[in-house]
């Protein structure tokens, strides 16, 4: 399809062999203060145990959504990504991956909306720019597609 399903740990700087590793590692990183500053797939600084719990819930929903997407269970994947976004509204990877599912389902307007939201929260999110360009291209809007492809190359 040309769309790239992004990893929820794209900025952490270590290799993750399985999504179960993400579930085990991220909560510990968040608790020691790695969240925020562009070093985490989740935004903002973690200040309280309650915030960690909310972030853990968002991560769990993100991972469930990823697994549903792999099984082509798009409605369930969308529900999980939507819940992750409800818990952490600026969770760019959840917006990105929900957009991927919308694109796979041919719901291009919703895909563009989510990719635009991800780019709003992280203007340097190359994969979101590139994938929005792919969706614009599928809609026949080559000018917007080219603009996003150019932004992704910067």
């Amino acid at each position: 399809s040309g769309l790239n399903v992004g990893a929820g740990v794209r900025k952490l700087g270590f290799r993750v062999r399985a999504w179960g590793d993400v579930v085990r590692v991220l909560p510990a990183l968040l608790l020691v203060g790695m969240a925020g500053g562009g070093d985490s797939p989740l935004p903002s600084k973690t200040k309280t145990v309650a915030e960690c719990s909310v972030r853990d819930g968002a991560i769990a929903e993100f991972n469930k959504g990823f697994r549903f997407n792999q099984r082509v269970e798009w409605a369930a994947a969308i529900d999980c990504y939507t819940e992750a976004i409800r818990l952490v509204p600026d969770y760019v990877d959840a917006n990105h991956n929900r957009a991927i599912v919308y694109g796979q389902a041919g719901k291009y307007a919703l895909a563009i909306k989510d990719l635009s939201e991800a780019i709003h929260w992280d203007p340097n999110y190359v994969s979101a720019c590139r994938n929005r360009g792919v969706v614009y291209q599928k809609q026949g809007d080559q000018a917007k597609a080219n603009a996003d492809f150019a932004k992704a190359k910067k």
Side-chain angles (χ1 to χ4, degrees):
S1 68
L3 296 175
N4 175 19
V5 177
V9 294
R10 65 187 162 83
K11 292 183 180 178
L12 289 179
F14 60 87
R15 291 180 187 232
V16 177
R17 293 189 182 102
W19 280 101
D21 294 343
V22 175
V23 173
R24 285 188 294 278
V25 171
L26 278 178
L29 293 173
L30 291 170
L31 286 171
V32 298
M34 187 173 171
D39 293 330
S40 171
L42 293 178
S44 307
K45 297 235 181 260
T46 300
K47 296 178 183 173
T48 68
V49 172
E51 287 174 334
C52 288
S53 178
V54 168
R55 292 182 191 310
D56 288 348
I59 292 166
E61 290 298 322
F62 177 91
N63 290 328
K64 283 181 1 187
F66 186 83
R67 288 190 299 273
F68 281 125
N69 186 37
Q70 287 180 315
R71 295 191 306 250
V72 194
E73 295 179 35
W74 291 335
I78 288 168
D79 288 346
C80 291
Y81 291 135
T82 299
E83 179 61 11
I85 294 163
R86 186 191 69 75
L87 292 169
V88 180
D90 54 347
Y91 193 171
V92 296
D93 291 316
N95 274 290
H96 177 265
N97 281 23
R98 186 172 70 176
I100 298 303
V101 176
Y102 282 142
Q104 290 168 327
K107 298 178 179 183
Y108 298 134
L110 292 171
I112 288 171
K113 181 177 181 269
D114 273 359
L115 290 165
S116 297
E117 187 70 12
I119 294 165
H120 166 78
W121 290 111
D122 183 355
N124 298 314
Y125 196 167
V126 173
S127 185
C129 292
R130 183 178 49 247
N131 286 334
R132 189 172 68 177
V134 169
V135 176
Y136 279 135
Q137 199 169 43
K138 287 182 182 224
Q139 289 185 313
D141 193 337
Q142 196 60 47
K144 286 183 180 178
N146 289 342
D148 276 345
F149 294 147
K151 185 175 181 179
K153 286 184 180 180
K154 288 183 180 180

